[in-house]
Amino acid sequence: MPNTLKSSNGWPASKDPAEIGIKSYPIPGTTIKIRLAEKAAPLLVALAAEWHKLVEPIDAGTLDTWGYAFRPIRGQTEKLSNHASGTAIDFSANAHPLGKADTFTPEQCKTIRAITAKYGCRWGGDYVHRLDSMHAEINLTPKEVIERIKALGLDNKK
């Protein structure tokens, strides 16, 4: 039976990570790996590497940066989180807790907005109803992801 579950951005979601192509990817410049959807991984891995280099280190201290997790959006019971499709990353969750404002400097916020836009993502620090400054998620369709990967030259990288 084909998978019919979708995360809030419309990507396939599943309790079984293998069913939707979740794999573990090393983040360049760090000592960590993050589980992500294979089709979106080139964008999210490149985003994470730039976040680490330009915003703040993501592999220092507690391991609180992650991707795939099959679960609903926090505080909601019906909509699946984009983590459930492996199309979202939380960065340094302890330093940037859900709902807390001003955990990044204005310069960091400017950098985050630039790199998330570059990789076709949306930043949770710009959410209207509840800030989620640790969070970045794919904000493109699968077809648009393929196009963005090609446009950025990420389709030849392993």
Side-chain angles (χ1 to χ4, degrees):
M1 177 178 222
N3 177 32
T4 57
L5 295 175
K6 303 278 184 197
S7 62
S8 66
N9 64 2
W11 283 68
S14 178
K15 288 181 185 178
D16 177 5
E19 181 182 12
I20 57 170
I22 301 296
K23 296 183 180 177
S24 185
Y25 296 90
I27 304 304
T30 76
T31 59
I32 65 171
K33 291 183 176 185
I34 299 177
R35 294 192 316 159
L36 302 166
E38 184 175 21
K39 291 178 181 177
L43 294 178
L44 292 170
V45 166
L47 168 69
E50 283 199 39
W51 189 295
H52 174 75
K53 183 178 178 182
L54 302 174
V55 178
E56 67 181 7
I58 60 173
D59 64 346
T62 305
L63 180 57
D64 60 351
T65 295
W66 51 75
Y68 171 80
F70 186 79
R71 63 174 177 76
I73 296 170
R74 301 273 189 231
Q76 295 188 21
T77 57
E78 294 181 24
K79 279 188 173 182
L80 286 175
S81 166
N82 291 327
H83 291 283
S85 61
T87 59
I89 300 177
D90 284 346
F91 296 99
S92 305
N94 292 327
H96 310 289
L98 180 64
K100 187 164 185 187
D102 302 322
T103 63
F104 288 107
T105 68
E107 188 60 35
Q108 286 174 311
C109 292
K110 181 179 175 185
T111 301
I112 292 167
R113 287 184 182 104
I115 62 176
T116 52
K118 175 180 177 180
Y119 294 108
C121 293
R122 182 168 72 153
W123 177 44
D126 285 333
Y127 288 173
V128 175
H129 298 291
R130 180 180 64 182
L131 295 179
D132 194 1
S133 296
M134 71 177 103
H135 183 85
E137 63 192 19
I138 291 291
N139 197 28
L140 301 171
T141 67
K143 181 180 182 226
E144 291 169 330
V145 162
I146 291 167
E147 292 167 356
R148 183 69 57 100
I149 289 168
K150 286 180 182 174
L152 292 171
L154 299 172
D155 50 338
N156 296 323
K157 294 185 179 180
K158 295 191 179 195

